[in-house]
Amino acid sequence: MELLAPAGGFEQLHAALSFGADAVYLAAERFGMRARAANFAMSQLPDAVRAAHSRGARVYVTCNVMMSQDDLAQLPPYLESVDASGADALIVGDLGAFALARKHAPRCALHVSTQASVANSEAAKMWHSLGASRIVCAREMTLGDIANMREGIPDDLQLEAFVHGAQCMAVSGRCLISSYLTGRSGNKGECTQPCRWNYSLEEEKRPGEHFPIDEDAGSTFIMNAKDLCMVEHLDALRDAGVDSVKVEGRNKKAFYVATVVGVYRRVLDGEPAAEVRPELDAVSHRPYGTGFYFGDPGQACDYDGYEQETMHVADVVECEGEGGGLFRLVAKCRNRFEEGEALEVLSPHAAVRGLAVRNLRWLPEGSEAAEPVAVANRACDLYMLDSPFEVQPGSFLRVRRHRRSARHG
């Protein structure tokens, strides 16, 4: 199975490639469902494609917002630019955009977005007859649904399914709540996530007096979906006929992408899921669930928020041997860490290793002289520290520091 990873920007792209993605999906300047991600300028797209292709990975460009009449005039030049960039496929959810893509991006394969809510074989075959090479399964499908659809479609029509990350309470994403409440349309990539908000009722006869909407133990986050986690069920997805497993997260940072992609890569390569599953608790996440794959997904009704077991503190940008089995690391600071602190090293295709901070030095910008310091606390500045083992550039340093950010009902 293909491992498909999100790339919200160049940092995430490089993390996904380094930690084992077979393909990445990303957005250019317009028409993607994650407008708040850094995304890629159209002028950057060829560089992103070259970076992926140099690592043997494919690039899929999203063009999956709900299209309005005004969008149609801007689509042809956009599609032509994507085609010229060398991208491998377009992910399209709108039938009109699909027709234009066939005409203006003839070398790109066409994948049907989950926004199209394809959940049966007849719909899949119709898209295939129009030129689709892949269907991204509607998120409300069970494993049995996917297996049944697989049996009824052509062998050369691939199926892709989400396996990890945030879920929309509207499932495949056709939701009007954000547009109604805030004027920012989720179907245009600008969702404000009102399904995560805390709700109460106000009786018309008593204005100003609010009544909580209780569910189960008195909680009020009635539309708050759990995060998806299917790392322990990849074999079942393969048996159902899934060709590509997809990690959600184009709004996520590189550390998140590296961690999640690394876990799924290790399991796909044969490591027991139970052994690497705890790594997924290291990054920011809501309570995990298995979505609709095994029936009712349930909701995270107790609170809205995230928790994580580790804090990302630095990115390793250089590693040089110092002799005597000692290596000097140059790392970009992301969060505070200090001399003597116990860190962990997250590297591509490797188990996590412990590293104590020794000989911490700050490298001021424009200076070749490093200054000894007790604490690294200047965000994005470079620091040096010693390591008893070699650390691959592109690795991440983290510290065991539980954090929870939550709003309770």
Side-chain angles (χ1 to χ4, degrees):
M1 283 193 302
E2 174 188 81
L3 177 56
L4 177 56
F10 272 110
E11 287 187 353
Q12 294 92 329
L13 171 67
H14 292 305
L17 297 174
S18 295
F19 281 78
D22 298 308
V24 295
Y25 64 103
L26 50 83
E29 296 161 331
R30 299 202 61 193
F31 306 121
M33 286 296 292
R34 296 293 183 271
R36 288 181 293 170
N39 295 321
F40 294 82
M42 190 58 75
S43 61
Q44 297 174 316
L45 197 55
D47 290 336
V49 172
R50 280 192 291 270
H53 286 178
S54 71
R55 304 287 289 269
R58 296 168 291 278
V59 176
Y60 309 146
V61 178
T62 61
C63 184
N64 57 345
V65 299
M66 185 181 293
M67 300 291 173
S68 64
Q69 188 65 32
D70 291 340
D71 291 325
L72 297 183
Q74 301 175 53
L75 268 173
Y78 172 87
L79 294 167
E80 289 165 4
S81 295
V82 172
D83 197 60
S85 75
D88 298 279
L90 279 154
I91 305 173
V92 184
D94 179 89
L95 186 58
F98 192 94
L100 290 173
R102 288 184 60 185
K103 179 179 180 180
H104 295 281
R107 63 163 305 281
C108 287
L110 297 178
H111 298 175
V112 180
S113 171
T114 191
Q115 297 298 115
S117 299
V118 178
N120 65 77
S121 59
E122 290 300 319
K125 286 190 292 185
M126 178 56 71
W127 281 106
H128 182 255
S129 72
L130 296 174
S133 62
R134 178 182 293 189
I135 300 296
V136 185
C137 295
R139 291 202 183 199
E140 55 266 49
M141 297 182 75
T142 67
L143 272 174
D145 293 334
I146 294 174
N148 288 335
M149 184 166 73
R150 173 77 269 173
E151 291 179 358
I153 62 176
D155 291 341
D156 65 341
L157 180 56
Q158 297 178 343
L159 295 182
E160 175 183 306
F162 281 91
V163 292
H164 196 90
Q167 296 190 102
C168 177
M169 85 79 192
V171 195
S172 289
R174 295 273 180 150
C175 179
L176 299 176
I177 299 177
S178 180
S179 179
Y180 175 75
L181 292 179
T182 70
R184 290 171 54 184
S185 172
N187 297 310
K188 288 287 190 178
E190 298 179 337
C191 184
T192 57
Q193 294 193 321
C195 58
R196 311 289 186 186
W197 299 352
N198 188 338
Y199 288 92
S200 63
L201 293 174
E202 179 178 318
E203 186 185 359
E204 64 177 347
K205 299 295 185 182
R206 286 177 280 184
E209 187 172 349
H210 292 265
F211 302 89
I213 306 172
D214 292 341
E215 181 169 306
D216 297 333
S219 57
T220 58
F221 296 93
I222 59 173
M223 297 182 286
N224 188 35
K226 295 179 180 179
D227 279 3
L228 180 64
C229 179
M230 286 289 288
V231 72
E232 296 171 309
H233 307 285
L234 297 180
D235 286 341
L237 286 160
R238 182 185 288 108
D239 292 343
V242 172
D243 300 284
S244 177
V245 290
K246 185 175 193 173
V247 174
E248 183 277 337
R250 280 187 291 129
N251 280 333
K252 299 293 189 179
K253 302 297 185 183
F255 173 65
Y256 177 95
V257 173
T259 301
V260 176
V261 170
V263 167
Y264 279 83
R265 177 78 275 158
R266 290 167 64 184
V267 176
L268 286 171
D269 288 346
E271 291 192 45
E275 292 184 8
V276 295
R277 164 63 179 76
E279 275 294 294
L280 295 173
D281 294 328
V283 293
S284 178
H285 65 282
R286 290 184 173 91
Y288 285 129
T290 54
F292 283 83
Y293 286 116
F294 302 105
D296 185 355
Q299 303 287 81
C301 297
D302 294 335
Y303 70 95
D304 171 42
Y306 298 90
E307 55 186 282
Q308 61 194 86
E309 297 298 328
T310 71
M311 176 76 72
H312 170 210
V313 296
D315 305 334
V316 177
V317 297
E318 291 181 23
C319 178
E320 296 182 357
E322 294 283 279
L326 195 65
F327 296 87
R328 184 193 66 186
L329 305 185
V330 178
K332 179 183 288 188
C333 180
R334 297 297 188 179
N335 283 291
R336 184 183 186 280
F337 63 100
E338 61 187 42
E339 179 74 20
E341 191 166 18
L343 304 184
E344 296 176 348
V345 181
L346 178 69
S347 295
H349 308 286
V352 173
R353 293 175 290 181
L355 173 67
V357 180
R358 295 286 183 264
N359 195 19
L360 183 62
R361 291 149 285 167
W362 173 48
L363 188 60
E365 185 176 0
S367 173
E368 296 183 359
E371 301 178 11
V373 292
V375 177
N377 56 6
R378 296 175 174 89
C380 294
D381 276 14
L382 296 179
Y383 289 82
M384 296 179 181
L385 63 154
D386 293 342
S387 172
F389 50 82
E390 187 174 5
V391 177
Q392 181 179 335
S395 298
F396 297 87
L397 303 181
R398 69 191 194 191
V399 63
R400 283 280 152 187
R401 189 181 300 160
H402 178 80
R403 187 172 66 165
R404 191 181 198 192
S405 172
R407 295 188 300 118
H408 294 265

